[in-house]
Amino acid sequence: MNIVLLGPPGAGKGTVAALLKKELGVPHISTGDIFRENIKNGTELGRKVESIMASGALVPDDVTVELVRDRLSKADAADGYILDGFPRTIAQAEALSSFADIDAAVCFVLSEEEIVKRLSGRRICKSTGRIYHIVSNPPKVEGIDDETGEPLIQRDDDKPEAIRHRLEVYEASTAPLISYYEGKGLLRNIDASASPEDVLASILKALRG
Ligand code: AP5
């Protein structure tokens, strides 16, 4: 099954994708994670996208589309995948439709107040990408990753100014994808305010029902 996860920044897509991939046995492909990995490794791509991401703007469509086209050609994606954070513009969705058949677009629905709370409290482990929240999902020891023992960090784009900009960019460029996938009969709206386990259960029901 080829699934797209849609929805505003901080709605819980990455958190639930980590659970969903175990259920479905397909890879979780997050363009944000791929870009962050490139920044961490100091690659040419990483240098190109670092300041764009920190500001909360979008990486150009051509760069992102080629990255995804290449990733979907790998053997582990042959039997399905979960796309998280892609497509993010109508142009990306149209490009995707030229090299992939999407079975469902799952849209995480959450209020802006809750989004801001989730983003401002998020902490991540830089080397593994594991996601925490200082209130709803804290690590066992404050500020430390449960498995690697590394210090947790706050993403540059989770600072207040970047959060505001990301929400504007989402409304202008990404929200139109909701109608795009609705028009194709692929949209599944999910209430993302529940616990990650309950959000997972709603998604599985929507996909199988
Ligand atoms: P990306 O990494 O995709 O960020 P995003 O879409 O803004 O999504 P987030 O990772 O912020 O949120 P999420 O929904 O995954 O929430 P999470 O599970 O972490 O993109 C980053 C940047 O990369 C973009 O701004 C852009 O520059 C670039 N980029 C990426 N893709 C691109 C593309 N296609 N085109 C162009 N540019 C692109 O959860 C958030 C917090 O909430 C966590 O603390 C978590 O613990 C908590 N939480 C999660 N679920 C729950 C729950 N159910 N209950 C309580 N707390 C919860």
Side-chain angles (χ1 to χ4, degrees):
M1 196 172 218
N2 303 334
I3 301 166
V4 162
L5 302 186
L6 284 179
K13 303 180 296 293
T15 299
V16 174
L19 306 173
L20 188 58
K21 80 170 185 182
K22 289 185 196 151
E23 285 291 329
L24 301 180
V26 297
H28 165 212
I29 299 173
S30 156
T31 40
D33 285 350
I34 297 172
F35 290 139
R36 280 185 288 278
E37 184 70 16
N38 276 273
I39 293 171
K40 189 180 79 188
N41 295 332
T43 67
E44 192 183 334
L45 175 64
R47 286 193 294 279
K48 194 168 177 177
V49 303
E50 187 165 13
S51 61
I52 300 175
M53 285 181 70
S55 74
L58 293 182
V59 174
D61 286 339
D62 57 341
V63 175
T64 313
V65 166
E66 280 321 303
L67 184 90
V68 173
R69 188 200 300 268
D70 178 62
R71 181 63 186 85
L72 296 189
S73 70
K74 305 280 188 247
D76 69 334
D79 294 330
Y81 43 80
I82 302 161
L83 276 175
D84 166 10
F86 182 94
R88 242 188 173 86
T89 63
I90 296 286
Q92 290 181 12
E94 287 184 338
L96 177 66
S97 70
S98 72
F99 57 84
D101 287 322
I102 298 304
D103 298 302
V106 173
C107 182
F108 285 54
V109 180
L110 194 67
S111 71
E112 187 165 320
E113 189 189 345
E114 188 60 26
I115 289 167
V116 172
K117 272 193 212 158
R118 286 190 184 180
L119 288 176
S120 47
R122 174 166 56 188
R123 299 293 180 271
I124 61 163
C125 172
K126 199 171 179 181
S127 68
T128 64
R130 212 178 341 270
I131 304 166
Y132 297 86
H133 189 277
I134 53 175
V135 177
S136 65
N137 181 27
K140 291 182 186 126
V141 177
E142 192 182 333
I144 301 292
D145 182 66
D146 290 346
E147 285 177 30
T148 65
E150 291 168 52
L152 301 180
I153 60 156
Q154 184 172 37
R155 277 171 43 176
D156 285 340
D157 59 354
D158 282 345
K159 312 255 160 84
E161 187 55 34
I163 291 177
R164 261 193 302 280
H165 188 44
R166 286 163 72 200
L167 289 170
E168 287 163 8
V169 169
Y170 174 77
E171 281 307 322
S173 302
T174 308
L177 289 175
I178 296 172
S179 309
Y180 175 89
Y181 282 113
E182 190 170 27
K184 293 184 179 297
L186 298 176
L187 188 71
R188 309 283 181 272
N189 280 315
I190 298 293
D191 173 8
S193 66
S195 70
E197 292 70 23
D198 286 348
V199 175
L200 172 71
S202 306
I203 294 174
L204 290 172
K205 194 170 165 207
L207 294 177
R208 290 168 179 161

